[in-house]
Amino acid sequence: MTQQDPVEIWHRALEAKDTRLLDTLLADDCVFVSPVVHTPQSGKKITKAYLTAAFFVFGNETFRYVRQIVGTRDAMLEFELEVDGIAINGVDILHWNDAGQVTEFKVMIRPLKAINLIHQKMGAALNSSKS
């Protein structure tokens, strides 16, 4: 089996806001580590829900990756954007298995004002997707 390139798939999914690509990208046992939720969220379904909400909360015209460090099984993607006049800086940290499926997706954000704003907006996006 040829390993897929998870970083390339993530960039394509985010740019197109194509949540179907997450079905291939995420391992069934994927864990999502949120900057605001204390407990890691386990499973493909919940990870996909968080990332889908993030597509719309983070996916504005100011979002851009400014640095990318990629290893054989891990990547750190530093991003910047502005939401409601607040400058946000953060990192997406991905870890994947032999098949190139993401087994852990961790997000870290700064400053505190940005974390509070993203917490509010992600909560609203997740709640609206349940409707």
PDB file of all heavy atoms in Angstrom, residues 38-78:
ATOM      1  N   HIS A  38     -10.260  20.270  27.826  1.00  0.00           N
ATOM      2  CA  HIS A  38      -9.261  19.621  28.677  1.00  0.00           C
ATOM      3  C   HIS A  38      -8.943  18.194  28.242  1.00  0.00           C
ATOM      4  O   HIS A  38      -7.786  17.804  28.178  1.00  0.00           O
ATOM      5  CB  HIS A  38      -9.737  19.631  30.137  1.00  0.00           C
ATOM      6  CG  HIS A  38      -8.828  18.897  31.061  1.00  0.00           C
ATOM      7  ND1 HIS A  38      -7.572  19.366  31.400  1.00  0.00           N
ATOM      8  CD2 HIS A  38      -8.976  17.716  31.701  1.00  0.00           C
ATOM      9  CE1 HIS A  38      -6.989  18.513  32.218  1.00  0.00           C
ATOM     10  NE2 HIS A  38      -7.819  17.505  32.422  1.00  0.00           N
ATOM     11  N   THR A  39      -9.954  17.416  27.920  1.00  0.00           N
ATOM     12  CA  THR A  39      -9.767  16.009  27.584  1.00  0.00           C
ATOM     13  C   THR A  39      -9.602  15.823  26.086  1.00  0.00           C
ATOM     14  O   THR A  39     -10.410  16.347  25.306  1.00  0.00           O
ATOM     15  CB  THR A  39     -11.004  15.199  28.055  1.00  0.00           C
ATOM     16  OG1 THR A  39     -11.228  15.475  29.426  1.00  0.00           O
ATOM     17  CG2 THR A  39     -10.806  13.721  27.854  1.00  0.00           C
ATOM     18  N   PRO A  40      -8.590  15.078  25.659  1.00  0.00           N
ATOM     19  CA  PRO A  40      -8.479  14.764  24.227  1.00  0.00           C
ATOM     20  C   PRO A  40      -9.751  14.062  23.739  1.00  0.00           C
ATOM     21  O   PRO A  40     -10.352  13.264  24.461  1.00  0.00           O
ATOM     22  CB  PRO A  40      -7.269  13.825  24.164  1.00  0.00           C
ATOM     23  CG  PRO A  40      -6.457  14.198  25.364  1.00  0.00           C
ATOM     24  CD  PRO A  40      -7.470  14.536  26.431  1.00  0.00           C
ATOM     25  N   GLN A  41     -10.152  14.394  22.530  1.00  0.00           N
ATOM     26  CA  GLN A  41     -11.375  13.842  21.938  1.00  0.00           C
ATOM     27  C   GLN A  41     -10.994  12.674  21.033  1.00  0.00           C
ATOM     28  O   GLN A  41     -10.248  12.863  20.078  1.00  0.00           O
ATOM     29  CB  GLN A  41     -12.105  14.931  21.149  1.00  0.00           C
ATOM     30  CG  GLN A  41     -12.426  16.170  21.967  1.00  0.00           C
ATOM     31  CD  GLN A  41     -13.364  15.879  23.116  1.00  0.00           C
ATOM     32  OE1 GLN A  41     -14.494  15.458  22.906  1.00  0.00           O
ATOM     33  NE2 GLN A  41     -12.897  16.066  24.337  1.00  0.00           N
ATOM     34  N   SER A  42     -11.496  11.487  21.331  1.00  0.00           N
ATOM     35  CA  SER A  42     -11.079  10.276  20.618  1.00  0.00           C
ATOM     36  C   SER A  42     -12.099   9.834  19.583  1.00  0.00           C
ATOM     37  O   SER A  42     -13.299   9.818  19.847  1.00  0.00           O
ATOM     38  CB  SER A  42     -10.868   9.133  21.612  1.00  0.00           C
ATOM     39  OG  SER A  42      -9.817   9.448  22.494  1.00  0.00           O
ATOM     40  N   GLY A  43     -11.581   9.481  18.421  1.00  0.00           N
ATOM     41  CA  GLY A  43     -12.398   8.918  17.363  1.00  0.00           C
ATOM     42  C   GLY A  43     -12.457   9.800  16.130  1.00  0.00           C
ATOM     43  O   GLY A  43     -12.361  11.025  16.202  1.00  0.00           O
ATOM     44  N   LYS A  44     -12.610   9.144  15.010  1.00  0.00           N
ATOM     45  CA  LYS A  44     -12.657   9.828  13.720  1.00  0.00           C
ATOM     46  C   LYS A  44     -13.843  10.787  13.626  1.00  0.00           C
ATOM     47  O   LYS A  44     -13.711  11.907  13.138  1.00  0.00           O
ATOM     48  CB  LYS A  44     -12.734   8.771  12.615  1.00  0.00           C
ATOM     49  CG  LYS A  44     -12.695   9.299  11.215  1.00  0.00           C
ATOM     50  CD  LYS A  44     -12.706   8.130  10.247  1.00  0.00           C
ATOM     51  CE  LYS A  44     -12.373   8.535   8.840  1.00  0.00           C
ATOM     52  NZ  LYS A  44     -12.149   7.348   7.985  1.00  0.00           N
ATOM     53  N   LYS A  45     -15.000  10.354  14.112  1.00  0.00           N
ATOM     54  CA  LYS A  45     -16.216  11.162  13.986  1.00  0.00           C
ATOM     55  C   LYS A  45     -16.081  12.498  14.716  1.00  0.00           C
ATOM     56  O   LYS A  45     -16.374  13.554  14.151  1.00  0.00           O
ATOM     57  CB  LYS A  45     -17.416  10.379  14.512  1.00  0.00           C
ATOM     58  CG  LYS A  45     -18.725  11.103  14.351  1.00  0.00           C
ATOM     59  CD  LYS A  45     -19.885  10.247  14.825  1.00  0.00           C
ATOM     60  CE  LYS A  45     -21.192  10.996  14.701  1.00  0.00           C
ATOM     61  NZ  LYS A  45     -22.332  10.195  15.159  1.00  0.00           N
ATOM     62  N   ILE A  46     -15.629  12.465  15.978  1.00  0.00           N
ATOM     63  CA  ILE A  46     -15.508  13.718  16.739  1.00  0.00           C
ATOM     64  C   ILE A  46     -14.369  14.578  16.197  1.00  0.00           C
ATOM     65  O   ILE A  46     -14.479  15.805  16.141  1.00  0.00           O
ATOM     66  CB  ILE A  46     -15.358  13.455  18.262  1.00  0.00           C
ATOM     67  CG1 ILE A  46     -15.500  14.753  19.055  1.00  0.00           C
ATOM     68  CG2 ILE A  46     -14.030  12.791  18.597  1.00  0.00           C
ATOM     69  CD1 ILE A  46     -16.884  15.315  19.112  1.00  0.00           C
ATOM     70  N   THR A  47     -13.276  13.956  15.767  1.00  0.00           N
ATOM     71  CA  THR A  47     -12.173  14.716  15.181  1.00  0.00           C
ATOM     72  C   THR A  47     -12.647  15.418  13.916  1.00  0.00           C
ATOM     73  O   THR A  47     -12.369  16.603  13.713  1.00  0.00           O
ATOM     74  CB  THR A  47     -10.975  13.796  14.876  1.00  0.00           C
ATOM     75  OG1 THR A  47     -10.534  13.182  16.093  1.00  0.00           O
ATOM     76  CG2 THR A  47      -9.830  14.577  14.252  1.00  0.00           C
ATOM     77  N   LYS A  48     -13.396  14.703  13.085  1.00  0.00           N
ATOM     78  CA  LYS A  48     -13.918  15.308  11.855  1.00  0.00           C
ATOM     79  C   LYS A  48     -14.860  16.463  12.183  1.00  0.00           C
ATOM     80  O   LYS A  48     -14.835  17.493  11.504  1.00  0.00           O
ATOM     81  CB  LYS A  48     -14.626  14.256  11.002  1.00  0.00           C
ATOM     82  CG  LYS A  48     -15.135  14.819   9.685  1.00  0.00           C
ATOM     83  CD  LYS A  48     -15.806  13.772   8.819  1.00  0.00           C
ATOM     84  CE  LYS A  48     -16.331  14.398   7.542  1.00  0.00           C
ATOM     85  NZ  LYS A  48     -17.021  13.420   6.689  1.00  0.00           N
ATOM     86  N   ALA A  49     -15.668  16.323  13.229  1.00  0.00           N
ATOM     87  CA  ALA A  49     -16.591  17.397  13.613  1.00  0.00           C
ATOM     88  C   ALA A  49     -15.817  18.657  14.009  1.00  0.00           C
ATOM     89  O   ALA A  49     -16.162  19.764  13.579  1.00  0.00           O
ATOM     90  CB  ALA A  49     -17.492  16.935  14.759  1.00  0.00           C
ATOM     91  N   TYR A  50     -14.770  18.492  14.803  1.00  0.00           N
ATOM     92  CA  TYR A  50     -13.961  19.646  15.205  1.00  0.00           C
ATOM     93  C   TYR A  50     -13.267  20.285  14.001  1.00  0.00           C
ATOM     94  O   TYR A  50     -13.256  21.507  13.857  1.00  0.00           O
ATOM     95  CB  TYR A  50     -12.906  19.245  16.243  1.00  0.00           C
ATOM     96  CG  TYR A  50     -13.418  19.281  17.654  1.00  0.00           C
ATOM     97  CD1 TYR A  50     -13.909  18.138  18.270  1.00  0.00           C
ATOM     98  CD2 TYR A  50     -13.409  20.464  18.391  1.00  0.00           C
ATOM     99  CE1 TYR A  50     -14.373  18.162  19.574  1.00  0.00           C
ATOM    100  CE2 TYR A  50     -13.874  20.495  19.696  1.00  0.00           C
ATOM    101  CZ  TYR A  50     -14.355  19.344  20.280  1.00  0.00           C
ATOM    102  OH  TYR A  50     -14.820  19.386  21.566  1.00  0.00           O
ATOM    103  N   LEU A  51     -12.689  19.470  13.145  1.00  0.00           N
ATOM    104  CA  LEU A  51     -11.970  20.025  11.989  1.00  0.00           C
ATOM    105  C   LEU A  51     -12.929  20.674  10.991  1.00  0.00           C
ATOM    106  O   LEU A  51     -12.595  21.697  10.387  1.00  0.00           O
ATOM    107  CB  LEU A  51     -11.126  18.936  11.324  1.00  0.00           C
ATOM    108  CG  LEU A  51      -9.976  18.407  12.187  1.00  0.00           C
ATOM    109  CD1 LEU A  51      -9.247  17.274  11.458  1.00  0.00           C
ATOM    110  CD2 LEU A  51      -9.021  19.513  12.580  1.00  0.00           C
ATOM    111  N   THR A  52     -14.118  20.117  10.828  1.00  0.00           N
ATOM    112  CA  THR A  52     -15.116  20.724   9.951  1.00  0.00           C
ATOM    113  C   THR A  52     -15.514  22.097  10.480  1.00  0.00           C
ATOM    114  O   THR A  52     -15.589  23.081   9.720  1.00  0.00           O
ATOM    115  CB  THR A  52     -16.346  19.808   9.826  1.00  0.00           C
ATOM    116  OG1 THR A  52     -15.944  18.573   9.223  1.00  0.00           O
ATOM    117  CG2 THR A  52     -17.442  20.447   8.987  1.00  0.00           C
ATOM    118  N   ALA A  53     -15.758  22.191  11.780  1.00  0.00           N
ATOM    119  CA  ALA A  53     -16.088  23.494  12.376  1.00  0.00           C
ATOM    120  C   ALA A  53     -14.924  24.472  12.187  1.00  0.00           C
ATOM    121  O   ALA A  53     -15.137  25.647  11.880  1.00  0.00           O
ATOM    122  CB  ALA A  53     -16.420  23.326  13.855  1.00  0.00           C
ATOM    123  N   ALA A  54     -13.709  23.978  12.340  1.00  0.00           N
ATOM    124  CA  ALA A  54     -12.525  24.833  12.183  1.00  0.00           C
ATOM    125  C   ALA A  54     -12.397  25.377  10.762  1.00  0.00           C
ATOM    126  O   ALA A  54     -11.931  26.501  10.570  1.00  0.00           O
ATOM    127  CB  ALA A  54     -11.263  24.066  12.567  1.00  0.00           C
ATOM    128  N   PHE A  55     -12.813  24.594   9.767  1.00  0.00           N
ATOM    129  CA  PHE A  55     -12.765  25.077   8.382  1.00  0.00           C
ATOM    130  C   PHE A  55     -13.493  26.410   8.266  1.00  0.00           C
ATOM    131  O   PHE A  55     -13.069  27.301   7.540  1.00  0.00           O
ATOM    132  CB  PHE A  55     -13.436  24.093   7.428  1.00  0.00           C
ATOM    133  CG  PHE A  55     -12.618  22.891   7.045  1.00  0.00           C
ATOM    134  CD1 PHE A  55     -11.364  22.646   7.564  1.00  0.00           C
ATOM    135  CD2 PHE A  55     -13.134  21.981   6.150  1.00  0.00           C
ATOM    136  CE1 PHE A  55     -10.627  21.536   7.195  1.00  0.00           C
ATOM    137  CE2 PHE A  55     -12.408  20.863   5.761  1.00  0.00           C
ATOM    138  CZ  PHE A  55     -11.158  20.640   6.284  1.00  0.00           C
ATOM    139  N   PHE A  56     -14.603  26.553   8.964  1.00  0.00           N
ATOM    140  CA  PHE A  56     -15.431  27.738   8.825  1.00  0.00           C
ATOM    141  C   PHE A  56     -15.065  28.837   9.826  1.00  0.00           C
ATOM    142  O   PHE A  56     -15.218  30.009   9.525  1.00  0.00           O
ATOM    143  CB  PHE A  56     -16.899  27.342   8.889  1.00  0.00           C
ATOM    144  CG  PHE A  56     -17.244  26.406   7.764  1.00  0.00           C
ATOM    145  CD1 PHE A  56     -17.288  25.036   7.973  1.00  0.00           C
ATOM    146  CD2 PHE A  56     -17.426  26.884   6.475  1.00  0.00           C
ATOM    147  CE1 PHE A  56     -17.544  24.157   6.918  1.00  0.00           C
ATOM    148  CE2 PHE A  56     -17.669  26.017   5.420  1.00  0.00           C
ATOM    149  CZ  PHE A  56     -17.735  24.655   5.641  1.00  0.00           C
ATOM    150  N   VAL A  57     -14.551  28.464  10.989  1.00  0.00           N
ATOM    151  CA  VAL A  57     -14.134  29.467  11.974  1.00  0.00           C
ATOM    152  C   VAL A  57     -12.797  30.086  11.572  1.00  0.00           C
ATOM    153  O   VAL A  57     -12.607  31.295  11.648  1.00  0.00           O
ATOM    154  CB  VAL A  57     -14.057  28.843  13.385  1.00  0.00           C
ATOM    155  CG1 VAL A  57     -13.422  29.810  14.383  1.00  0.00           C
ATOM    156  CG2 VAL A  57     -15.445  28.420  13.860  1.00  0.00           C
ATOM    157  N   PHE A  58     -11.859  29.245  11.131  1.00  0.00           N
ATOM    158  CA  PHE A  58     -10.514  29.713  10.783  1.00  0.00           C
ATOM    159  C   PHE A  58     -10.382  30.071   9.303  1.00  0.00           C
ATOM    160  O   PHE A  58      -9.482  30.812   8.938  1.00  0.00           O
ATOM    161  CB  PHE A  58      -9.469  28.624  11.088  1.00  0.00           C
ATOM    162  CG  PHE A  58      -9.232  28.389  12.544  1.00  0.00           C
ATOM    163  CD1 PHE A  58     -10.123  27.646  13.298  1.00  0.00           C
ATOM    164  CD2 PHE A  58      -8.113  28.901  13.163  1.00  0.00           C
ATOM    165  CE1 PHE A  58      -9.896  27.408  14.641  1.00  0.00           C
ATOM    166  CE2 PHE A  58      -7.877  28.673  14.506  1.00  0.00           C
ATOM    167  CZ  PHE A  58      -8.776  27.923  15.250  1.00  0.00           C
ATOM    168  N   GLY A  59     -11.238  29.522   8.479  1.00  0.00           N
ATOM    169  CA  GLY A  59     -11.061  29.609   7.030  1.00  0.00           C
ATOM    170  C   GLY A  59     -11.500  30.911   6.408  1.00  0.00           C
ATOM    171  O   GLY A  59     -12.343  30.929   5.512  1.00  0.00           O
ATOM    172  N   ASN A  60     -10.920  32.009   6.849  1.00  0.00           N
ATOM    173  CA  ASN A  60     -11.220  33.287   6.196  1.00  0.00           C
ATOM    174  C   ASN A  60     -10.026  33.709   5.339  1.00  0.00           C
ATOM    175  O   ASN A  60      -9.011  33.022   5.285  1.00  0.00           O
ATOM    176  CB  ASN A  60     -11.624  34.361   7.228  1.00  0.00           C
ATOM    177  CG  ASN A  60     -10.487  34.782   8.141  1.00  0.00           C
ATOM    178  OD1 ASN A  60      -9.330  34.894   7.731  1.00  0.00           O
ATOM    179  ND2 ASN A  60     -10.810  35.034   9.403  1.00  0.00           N
ATOM    180  N   GLU A  61     -10.144  34.854   4.687  1.00  0.00           N
ATOM    181  CA  GLU A  61      -9.110  35.294   3.738  1.00  0.00           C
ATOM    182  C   GLU A  61      -7.791  35.665   4.405  1.00  0.00           C
ATOM    183  O   GLU A  61      -6.769  35.796   3.732  1.00  0.00           O
ATOM    184  CB  GLU A  61      -9.628  36.464   2.887  1.00  0.00           C
ATOM    185  CG  GLU A  61      -9.860  37.756   3.643  1.00  0.00           C
ATOM    186  CD  GLU A  61     -11.154  37.824   4.450  1.00  0.00           C
ATOM    187  OE1 GLU A  61     -12.032  36.930   4.282  1.00  0.00           O
ATOM    188  OE2 GLU A  61     -11.309  38.745   5.260  1.00  0.00           O
ATOM    189  N   THR A  62      -7.765  35.806   5.731  1.00  0.00           N
ATOM    190  CA  THR A  62      -6.515  36.153   6.409  1.00  0.00           C
ATOM    191  C   THR A  62      -5.718  34.920   6.833  1.00  0.00           C
ATOM    192  O   THR A  62      -4.549  35.045   7.193  1.00  0.00           O
ATOM    193  CB  THR A  62      -6.775  37.018   7.665  1.00  0.00           C
ATOM    194  OG1 THR A  62      -7.471  36.241   8.648  1.00  0.00           O
ATOM    195  CG2 THR A  62      -7.553  38.278   7.303  1.00  0.00           C
ATOM    196  N   PHE A  63      -6.332  33.740   6.804  1.00  0.00           N
ATOM    197  CA  PHE A  63      -5.642  32.530   7.257  1.00  0.00           C
ATOM    198  C   PHE A  63      -4.498  32.180   6.315  1.00  0.00           C
ATOM    199  O   PHE A  63      -4.650  32.157   5.105  1.00  0.00           O
ATOM    200  CB  PHE A  63      -6.607  31.339   7.325  1.00  0.00           C
ATOM    201  CG  PHE A  63      -5.946  30.090   7.847  1.00  0.00           C
ATOM    202  CD1 PHE A  63      -5.997  29.789   9.190  1.00  0.00           C
ATOM    203  CD2 PHE A  63      -5.265  29.237   6.993  1.00  0.00           C
ATOM    204  CE1 PHE A  63      -5.370  28.651   9.677  1.00  0.00           C
ATOM    205  CE2 PHE A  63      -4.635  28.095   7.470  1.00  0.00           C
ATOM    206  CZ  PHE A  63      -4.683  27.801   8.819  1.00  0.00           C
ATOM    207  N   ARG A  64      -3.338  31.897   6.928  1.00  0.00           N
ATOM    208  CA  ARG A  64      -2.217  31.416   6.120  1.00  0.00           C
ATOM    209  C   ARG A  64      -1.247  30.648   7.013  1.00  0.00           C
ATOM    210  O   ARG A  64      -1.076  30.972   8.186  1.00  0.00           O
ATOM    211  CB  ARG A  64      -1.505  32.551   5.411  1.00  0.00           C
ATOM    212  CG  ARG A  64      -0.712  33.486   6.296  1.00  0.00           C
ATOM    213  CD  ARG A  64      -0.135  34.652   5.476  1.00  0.00           C
ATOM    214  NE  ARG A  64       0.849  35.398   6.192  1.00  0.00           N
ATOM    215  CZ  ARG A  64       0.612  36.282   7.153  1.00  0.00           C
ATOM    216  NH1 ARG A  64      -0.622  36.533   7.518  1.00  0.00           N
ATOM    217  NH2 ARG A  64       1.596  36.920   7.751  1.00  0.00           N
ATOM    218  N   TYR A  65      -0.647  29.631   6.424  1.00  0.00           N
ATOM    219  CA  TYR A  65       0.436  28.930   7.105  1.00  0.00           C
ATOM    220  C   TYR A  65       1.713  29.710   6.842  1.00  0.00           C
ATOM    221  O   TYR A  65       1.984  30.092   5.706  1.00  0.00           O
ATOM    222  CB  TYR A  65       0.567  27.490   6.596  1.00  0.00           C
ATOM    223  CG  TYR A  65      -0.489  26.582   7.179  1.00  0.00           C
ATOM    224  CD1 TYR A  65      -1.511  26.063   6.392  1.00  0.00           C
ATOM    225  CD2 TYR A  65      -0.473  26.233   8.534  1.00  0.00           C
ATOM    226  CE1 TYR A  65      -2.480  25.235   6.929  1.00  0.00           C
ATOM    227  CE2 TYR A  65      -1.435  25.412   9.078  1.00  0.00           C
ATOM    228  CZ  TYR A  65      -2.436  24.914   8.275  1.00  0.00           C
ATOM    229  OH  TYR A  65      -3.400  24.094   8.821  1.00  0.00           O
ATOM    230  N   VAL A  66       2.491  29.943   7.885  1.00  0.00           N
ATOM    231  CA  VAL A  66       3.707  30.738   7.761  1.00  0.00           C
ATOM    232  C   VAL A  66       4.973  29.911   7.943  1.00  0.00           C
ATOM    233  O   VAL A  66       6.071  30.386   7.630  1.00  0.00           O
ATOM    234  CB  VAL A  66       3.714  31.928   8.750  1.00  0.00           C
ATOM    235  CG1 VAL A  66       2.592  32.903   8.398  1.00  0.00           C
ATOM    236  CG2 VAL A  66       3.599  31.465  10.196  1.00  0.00           C
ATOM    237  N   ARG A  67       4.823  28.696   8.461  1.00  0.00           N
ATOM    238  CA  ARG A  67       5.977  27.807   8.628  1.00  0.00           C
ATOM    239  C   ARG A  67       5.473  26.377   8.674  1.00  0.00           C
ATOM    240  O   ARG A  67       4.397  26.109   9.181  1.00  0.00           O
ATOM    241  CB  ARG A  67       6.716  28.126   9.915  1.00  0.00           C
ATOM    242  CG  ARG A  67       7.983  27.327  10.079  1.00  0.00           C
ATOM    243  CD  ARG A  67       8.728  27.587  11.367  1.00  0.00           C
ATOM    244  NE  ARG A  67       8.430  28.888  11.946  1.00  0.00           N
ATOM    245  CZ  ARG A  67       8.978  29.348  13.054  1.00  0.00           C
ATOM    246  NH1 ARG A  67       9.852  28.629  13.694  1.00  0.00           N
ATOM    247  NH2 ARG A  67       8.658  30.516  13.529  1.00  0.00           N
ATOM    248  N   GLN A  68       6.288  25.510   8.128  1.00  0.00           N
ATOM    249  CA  GLN A  68       5.915  24.101   8.080  1.00  0.00           C
ATOM    250  C   GLN A  68       7.164  23.264   8.352  1.00  0.00           C
ATOM    251  O   GLN A  68       8.179  23.438   7.677  1.00  0.00           O
ATOM    252  CB  GLN A  68       5.341  23.797   6.695  1.00  0.00           C
ATOM    253  CG  GLN A  68       4.864  22.400   6.494  1.00  0.00           C
ATOM    254  CD  GLN A  68       4.077  22.268   5.206  1.00  0.00           C
ATOM    255  OE1 GLN A  68       2.966  22.759   5.111  1.00  0.00           O
ATOM    256  NE2 GLN A  68       4.648  21.616   4.221  1.00  0.00           N
ATOM    257  N   ILE A  69       7.091  22.396   9.340  1.00  0.00           N
ATOM    258  CA  ILE A  69       8.187  21.483   9.651  1.00  0.00           C
ATOM    259  C   ILE A  69       7.609  20.073   9.523  1.00  0.00           C
ATOM    260  O   ILE A  69       6.659  19.729  10.234  1.00  0.00           O
ATOM    261  CB  ILE A  69       8.735  21.717  11.071  1.00  0.00           C
ATOM    262  CG1 ILE A  69       9.214  23.162  11.220  1.00  0.00           C
ATOM    263  CG2 ILE A  69       9.847  20.724  11.388  1.00  0.00           C
ATOM    264  CD1 ILE A  69       9.500  23.570  12.648  1.00  0.00           C
ATOM    265  N   VAL A  70       8.167  19.284   8.609  1.00  0.00           N
ATOM    266  CA  VAL A  70       7.607  17.964   8.325  1.00  0.00           C
ATOM    267  C   VAL A  70       8.673  16.897   8.520  1.00  0.00           C
ATOM    268  O   VAL A  70       9.774  17.008   7.984  1.00  0.00           O
ATOM    269  CB  VAL A  70       7.053  17.899   6.880  1.00  0.00           C
ATOM    270  CG1 VAL A  70       6.472  16.528   6.588  1.00  0.00           C
ATOM    271  CG2 VAL A  70       6.003  18.977   6.664  1.00  0.00           C
ATOM    272  N   GLY A  71       8.322  15.879   9.297  1.00  0.00           N
ATOM    273  CA  GLY A  71       9.183  14.719   9.503  1.00  0.00           C
ATOM    274  C   GLY A  71       8.588  13.505   8.832  1.00  0.00           C
ATOM    275  O   GLY A  71       7.679  13.615   7.996  1.00  0.00           O
ATOM    276  N   THR A  72       9.055  12.338   9.200  1.00  0.00           N
ATOM    277  CA  THR A  72       8.570  11.105   8.568  1.00  0.00           C
ATOM    278  C   THR A  72       7.190  10.707   9.056  1.00  0.00           C
ATOM    279  O   THR A  72       6.449  10.049   8.326  1.00  0.00           O
ATOM    280  CB  THR A  72       9.547   9.939   8.816  1.00  0.00           C
ATOM    281  OG1 THR A  72       9.749   9.802  10.226  1.00  0.00           O
ATOM    282  CG2 THR A  72      10.872  10.182   8.122  1.00  0.00           C
ATOM    283  N   ARG A  73       6.822  11.097  10.278  1.00  0.00           N
ATOM    284  CA  ARG A  73       5.517  10.741  10.830  1.00  0.00           C
ATOM    285  C   ARG A  73       4.793  11.903  11.504  1.00  0.00           C
ATOM    286  O   ARG A  73       3.730  11.720  12.078  1.00  0.00           O
ATOM    287  CB  ARG A  73       5.666   9.650  11.890  1.00  0.00           C
ATOM    288  CG  ARG A  73       6.103   8.318  11.402  1.00  0.00           C
ATOM    289  CD  ARG A  73       4.877   7.539  10.906  1.00  0.00           C
ATOM    290  NE  ARG A  73       5.268   6.236  10.468  1.00  0.00           N
ATOM    291  CZ  ARG A  73       5.078   5.128  11.144  1.00  0.00           C
ATOM    292  NH1 ARG A  73       4.451   5.156  12.290  1.00  0.00           N
ATOM    293  NH2 ARG A  73       5.485   3.988  10.658  1.00  0.00           N
ATOM    294  N   ASP A  74       5.407  13.076  11.471  1.00  0.00           N
ATOM    295  CA  ASP A  74       4.851  14.227  12.179  1.00  0.00           C
ATOM    296  C   ASP A  74       5.032  15.488  11.354  1.00  0.00           C
ATOM    297  O   ASP A  74       5.955  15.579  10.554  1.00  0.00           O
ATOM    298  CB  ASP A  74       5.597  14.460  13.513  1.00  0.00           C
ATOM    299  CG  ASP A  74       5.477  13.299  14.452  1.00  0.00           C
ATOM    300  OD1 ASP A  74       4.447  13.208  15.122  1.00  0.00           O
ATOM    301  OD2 ASP A  74       6.432  12.482  14.511  1.00  0.00           O
ATOM    302  N   ALA A  75       4.151  16.454  11.618  1.00  0.00           N
ATOM    303  CA  ALA A  75       4.304  17.773  11.006  1.00  0.00           C
ATOM    304  C   ALA A  75       3.811  18.828  11.980  1.00  0.00           C
ATOM    305  O   ALA A  75       2.883  18.593  12.764  1.00  0.00           O
ATOM    306  CB  ALA A  75       3.525  17.869   9.706  1.00  0.00           C
ATOM    307  N   MET A  76       4.447  19.991  11.937  1.00  0.00           N
ATOM    308  CA  MET A  76       4.024  21.150  12.690  1.00  0.00           C
ATOM    309  C   MET A  76       3.793  22.255  11.669  1.00  0.00           C
ATOM    310  O   MET A  76       4.685  22.604  10.898  1.00  0.00           O
ATOM    311  CB  MET A  76       5.102  21.575  13.698  1.00  0.00           C
ATOM    312  CG  MET A  76       4.682  22.680  14.678  1.00  0.00           C
ATOM    313  SD  MET A  76       4.633  24.382  14.062  1.00  0.00           S
ATOM    314  CE  MET A  76       6.253  24.629  13.419  1.00  0.00           C
ATOM    315  N   LEU A  77       2.566  22.749  11.635  1.00  0.00           N
ATOM    316  CA  LEU A  77       2.181  23.779  10.677  1.00  0.00           C
ATOM    317  C   LEU A  77       1.783  25.028  11.459  1.00  0.00           C
ATOM    318  O   LEU A  77       0.747  25.047  12.118  1.00  0.00           O
ATOM    319  CB  LEU A  77       1.007  23.291   9.820  1.00  0.00           C
ATOM    320  CG  LEU A  77       1.137  21.902   9.208  1.00  0.00           C
ATOM    321  CD1 LEU A  77      -0.176  21.482   8.555  1.00  0.00           C
ATOM    322  CD2 LEU A  77       2.275  21.839   8.219  1.00  0.00           C
ATOM    323  N   GLU A  78       2.602  26.060  11.401  1.00  0.00           N
ATOM    324  CA  GLU A  78       2.302  27.298  12.113  1.00  0.00           C
ATOM    325  C   GLU A  78       1.415  28.176  11.248  1.00  0.00           C
ATOM    326  O   GLU A  78       1.664  28.351  10.054  1.00  0.00           O
ATOM    327  CB  GLU A  78       3.585  28.042  12.455  1.00  0.00           C
ATOM    328  CG  GLU A  78       3.324  29.315  13.242  1.00  0.00           C
ATOM    329  CD  GLU A  78       4.580  30.093  13.581  1.00  0.00           C
ATOM    330  OE1 GLU A  78       5.686  29.703  13.140  1.00  0.00           O
ATOM    331  OE2 GLU A  78       4.453  31.113  14.281  1.00  0.00           O
TER     332      GLU A  78
END
